[in-house]
Amino acid sequence: MIRTVLVANRGEIARRVFRTCRDLGIATVAVHSDADADAPFVRDADRAVRLPGSSPAETYLRADLVLAAARDAGADAIHPGYGFLSENADFARAVIDAGLTWIGPSPESIEAMGSKIRAKELMADAGVPILSVDPQSATPADFPLLVKASAGGGGRGMRVVDDPADLEGELTAAAAEAASAFGDDTVFVEPYLPTARHVEVQVLADTHGTTWVVGDRDCSIQRRHQKVVEEAPAPNLAPPVRELLHDAARKAAEAVDYVGAGTVEFLVADGHEDTGRVHFLEMNTRLQVEHPVTEAVTGLDLVALQIAVAEGERLEAEPPASTGHAVEVRLYAEDPASDWTPQTGTVATFDVDGSRFEGPSGAGLRVDSGVEAGSVVGVHYDAMLAKVIALGRDRRSALRTLEGALRRARVTGVRTNIDLLRAILVDEEFVAERVHTALLAERLAAWTGPAIDEPTLQRHVLAAALASARTATAGAAVLARIPTAYRNVPSQPRTRAFRHGEQELSVTYAARGASLVSDALDSVHVVDATARRVVLDVCGVRETYVVDVRDDAVDVTGPAGTTTLEPVPTFVDPADVVAEGSLLAPMPASVVSVAVEQGQEVSAGQTVLVLEAMKMQHTITAPTDGVVGELAVAEGTQVESGAVLAVIESTTVDGANEGNP
């Protein structure tokens, strides 16, 4: 009987496992890096053990330190979560050899499926259809191709190659990223089917010969081959295709004598037709990130079942039937409109209502989060902040519940993908169940467009201006007794400017007696304004805005959602001005490689250097033809967001100035 579980992981999955352990009366142990010392998951655990350092290689990937922590804290079992050491057969074997209970499949099963190359061979022998291409003999007709890391997942070490001339370089780049993320640079190649669907099947098996197929999930909405939206059951699948998927998943699990929870992933072409084709991708020998949607429609606690199986308990003959529909979105700290650049900083507000599916209809909302207000999002780990899951009687009701929750959510302090998620959930193609792995790329421009219309945005700006003014006067002993916007010459209104993305917007307002009114917005009147709350009357309809004024930003939440605005200073500090042509770091990161030298001529789009942050690599390219006038970093340099990396001096000369010194 397991009494104390150490979770060899961090963030939301550690909190998720701790939650079930508390329900079962099992004591918990967290391990944490220095960067995570104050993280919520550490406080959730009964005991916590420090792993010195901050990078994954120094901490969560150190099997010896994790085992020592288990020994020191008195744990008798280890749950690996997902990522890090969760699919490391040597770690699983070391846990067992140390006399601890491993809450996962056998090391032999992990090894069999851990190499995606070997897994494909096993599946072919078991009669499961596969995809494969030999890169040495690939012909132009085989393209596009997908390069993948054999030991990894989550989009790391993965590249789409359209041009045969690029294959060698992309193989090298994918291998480097795979080595950094997983410690194994082995990669392989398969056909890239951009309009196929990514469908996976949840399996669970005990040590007594029972294997469950616990339904399926669609994970086709992806960015950089990382899932963004998942749902269960997979919509718009013909019954024969669903049956084929479930049969293939069972064969895959039984082929490696699988025990515990796992997921078998497939590409599905023409899944809405009876003749749809199914191709094995890989098996994840662990709990999947998107497991909550399966829990929602089945009522199962997959973590509790993992623990039960590890303790030797028998499963029932068949799993419970699924009811309803569940949809999950991954809330990331990133900027979708800027090449998915990860964001860092302190979470100022984290307010997403979650009720664990309680209600008369059985529908509701669940939030699995690794952060809270005050949490710091750094550069060392994945950019996911939370998973938000909605359960409905059917797919449309689940989508509506989820979009409404995101619209009311207040997550501020770091830029997130929340507007993108809302756009996906109401998109006509997505709502109509016409999903495939290229849909996000096809619809990205629409999904990253303005989240609110211009008049609504102007009202957000007005609310930001009024609350900022109230905040400023509240901090001044004399001004606090004077109505905001008081002037000796009352005819002169006050103007404040804010930046929203690339837009700069200004609003003008003035005092009329003891109240504030806007001179810039027609039919908008200020009912009330405080430092935290602004009420506007818009053509007879009242709208309430909650405002958080911070040093460098103002967050405004209204009926249409949340907007983050950056105050535009009246005067610019000369020290903040950078040279024209400067390439700035889009986020805190480390410099992986530098591809140019000072004085070298470069062409627009040419790689200047490569950064790595949150386990993903980001290529910085020359914005124009020119010469590298300054190179401010070298390989291995750590840079902060906004730091100058290099300066590209344009070689384009204005004809009017030719010949001038």
Side-chain angles (χ1 to χ4, degrees):
M1 186 180 227
I2 293 172
R3 298 189 181 280
T4 303
V5 170
L6 180 146
V7 178
N9 220 293
R10 63 177 300 278
E12 66 85 18
I13 186 56
R15 302 185 85 186
R16 164 70 189 91
V17 177
F18 292 156
R19 186 170 65 214
T20 287
C21 287
R22 284 195 298 272
D23 292 343
L24 298 175
I26 297 173
T28 56
V29 179
V31 289
H32 67 86
S33 67
D34 291 336
D36 280 337
D38 297 320
F41 80 91
V42 178
R43 297 195 300 273
D44 282 355
D46 297 317
R47 298 184 182 92
V49 180
R50 173 181 176 245
L51 305 178
S54 291
S55 72
E58 296 173 306
T59 55
Y60 301 108
L61 290 173
R62 285 283 301 273
D64 56 334
L65 295 183
V66 173
L67 286 170
R71 181 183 63 248
D72 293 344
D76 57 355
I78 290 182
H79 191 298
Y82 54 73
F84 294 132
L85 296 169
S86 63
E87 294 179 281
N88 186 309
D90 290 338
F91 178 59
R93 192 171 288 114
V95 170
I96 296 168
D97 290 345
L100 305 176
T101 298
W102 169 249
I103 305 175
S106 70
E108 292 74 24
S109 294
I110 297 174
E111 279 179 331
M113 289 298 190
S115 167
K116 294 181 175 63
I117 298 172
R118 174 60 180 150
K120 285 176 177 285
E121 296 171 351
L122 287 170
M123 293 304 98
D125 292 341
V128 177
I130 64 170
L131 287 171
S132 185
V133 171
D134 180 357
Q136 302 303 319
S137 58
T139 68
D142 294 320
F143 286 76
L145 296 175
L146 186 63
V147 181
K148 300 177 70 175
S150 179
R156 299 176 187 90
M158 192 177 292
R159 296 286 195 280
V160 175
V161 187
D162 295 305
D163 189 337
D166 297 334
L167 181 57
E168 184 176 350
E170 294 292 15
L171 284 167
T172 301
E177 191 169 84
S180 174
F182 312 114
D184 183 345
D185 65 358
T186 306
V187 297
F188 66 98
V189 175
E190 62 188 24
Y192 179 53
L193 306 177
T195 58
R197 293 174 59 183
H198 189 140
V199 181
E200 60 190 29
V201 179
Q202 176 73 57
V203 296
L204 187 73
D206 63 19
T207 56
H208 304 283
T210 299
T211 300
W212 279 1
V213 173
V214 197
D216 45 69
R217 302 182 285 253
D218 188 286
C219 309
S220 299
I221 304 300
Q222 304 177 4
R223 60 99 169 105
R224 286 185 169 176
H225 311 291
Q226 271 194 314
K227 301 160 188 173
V228 177
V229 181
E230 302 104 349
E231 54 184 310
N236 199 19
L237 280 184
V241 175
R242 200 181 303 274
E243 183 178 346
L244 179 59
L245 282 164
H246 290 195
D247 182 60
R250 187 184 298 276
K251 287 180 179 177
E254 293 177 347
V256 294
D257 297 322
Y258 198 79
V259 171
T263 298
V264 189
E265 303 197 351
F266 301 89
L267 273 183
V268 178
D270 302 319
H272 59 289
E273 300 178 357
D274 289 351
T275 56
R277 290 157 292 151
V278 170
H279 303 284
F280 171 82
L281 279 177
E282 63 186 6
M283 183 175 187
N284 295 131
T285 53
R286 52 169 169 78
L287 192 68
Q288 198 81 331
V289 178
E290 56 271 21
H291 75 276
V293 291
T294 296
E295 293 185 324
V297 297
T298 61
L300 296 171
D301 183 331
L302 291 176
V303 174
L305 287 167
Q306 284 185 295
I307 293 171
V309 166
E311 291 180 321
E313 293 188 24
R314 290 178 179 270
L315 296 173
E316 298 291 334
E318 295 292 337
S322 297
T323 57
H325 197 95
V327 184
E328 170 183 296
V329 293
R330 301 190 191 186
L331 181 60
Y332 285 101
E334 65 184 10
D335 185 356
S338 182
D339 197 27
W340 311 102
T341 305
Q343 304 293 298
T344 59
T346 300
V347 178
T349 309
F350 186 84
D351 183 7
V352 184
D353 179 41
S355 63
R356 293 297 302 276
F357 308 125
E358 296 172 359
S361 66
L365 198 72
R366 165 176 163 180
V367 180
D368 286 11
S369 172
V371 302
E372 58 189 22
S375 293
V376 176
V377 181
V379 299
H380 300 290
Y381 313 115
D382 188 85
M384 189 173 72
L385 303 177
K387 302 179 305 196
V388 187
I389 308 101
L391 172 66
R393 291 182 299 274
D394 53 33
R395 187 172 186 265
R396 285 180 176 265
S397 63
L399 294 177
R400 184 164 53 192
T401 296
L402 187 51
E403 195 281 328
L406 295 178
R407 177 168 22 91
R408 293 187 297 272
R410 294 173 61 234
V411 182
T412 65
V414 292
R415 184 168 296 178
T416 73
N417 66 336
I418 200 164
D419 289 336
L420 170 82
L421 298 176
R422 289 181 55 199
I424 293 171
L425 296 175
V426 299
D427 180 81
E428 59 182 15
E429 291 290 302
F430 182 77
V431 171
E433 302 181 355
R434 294 189 288 267
V435 295
H436 52 79
T437 54
L439 185 60
L440 187 146
E442 290 177 1
R443 306 286 287 166
L444 185 61
W447 290 351
T448 55
I452 57 177
D453 57 35
E454 194 70 22
T456 304
L457 181 58
Q458 284 285 354
R459 295 198 293 274
H460 281 231
V461 172
L462 174 59
L466 297 176
S468 297
R470 290 296 199 196
T471 299
T473 57
V478 175
L479 290 178
R481 303 192 206 101
I482 303 174
T484 303
Y486 173 83
R487 292 289 184 276
N488 286 331
V489 183
S491 62
Q492 296 300 313
R494 185 162 187 185
T495 299
R496 282 182 179 263
F498 295 87
R499 189 171 291 110
H500 180 247
E502 299 300 318
Q503 276 185 288
E504 185 170 312
L505 305 107
S506 62
V507 65
T508 301
Y509 60 94
R512 295 289 185 268
S515 64
L516 286 163
V517 296
S518 169
D519 289 346
L521 300 173
D522 294 337
S523 305
V524 176
H525 303 282
V526 182
V527 178
D528 187 36
T530 70
R532 294 278 298 167
R533 180 174 175 271
V534 173
V535 181
L536 302 179
D537 182 300
V538 185
C539 298
V541 178
R542 287 195 177 188
E543 296 181 348
T544 299
Y545 295 85
V546 178
V547 187
D548 293 320
V549 179
R550 298 183 277 121
D551 290 340
D552 57 350
V554 181
D555 304 306
V556 183
T557 301
T562 298
T563 301
T564 297
L565 302 166
E566 179 187 348
V568 176
T570 304
F571 303 101
V572 178
D573 189 335
D576 293 334
V577 178
V578 297
E580 184 178 353
S582 295
L583 303 182
L584 307 181
M587 67 283 183
S590 60
V591 179
V592 175
S593 62
V594 178
V596 299
E597 298 178 350
Q598 189 165 337
Q600 178 180 332
E601 291 188 3
V602 294
S603 302
Q606 181 176 338
T607 297
V608 176
L609 49 87
V610 177
L611 302 177
E612 183 170 280
M614 296 182 181
K615 301 187 286 186
M616 298 291 285
Q617 293 190 354
H618 306 268
T619 301
I620 306 298
T621 61
T624 184
D625 294 347
V627 174
V628 181
E630 179 184 346
L631 196 57
V633 296
E635 184 176 326
T637 303
Q638 295 289 326
V639 296
E640 294 298 320
S641 178
V644 176
L645 305 171
V647 177
I648 307 299
E649 298 174 351
S650 175
T651 54
T652 303
V653 179
D654 186 346
N657 294 324
E658 286 186 11
N660 288 346

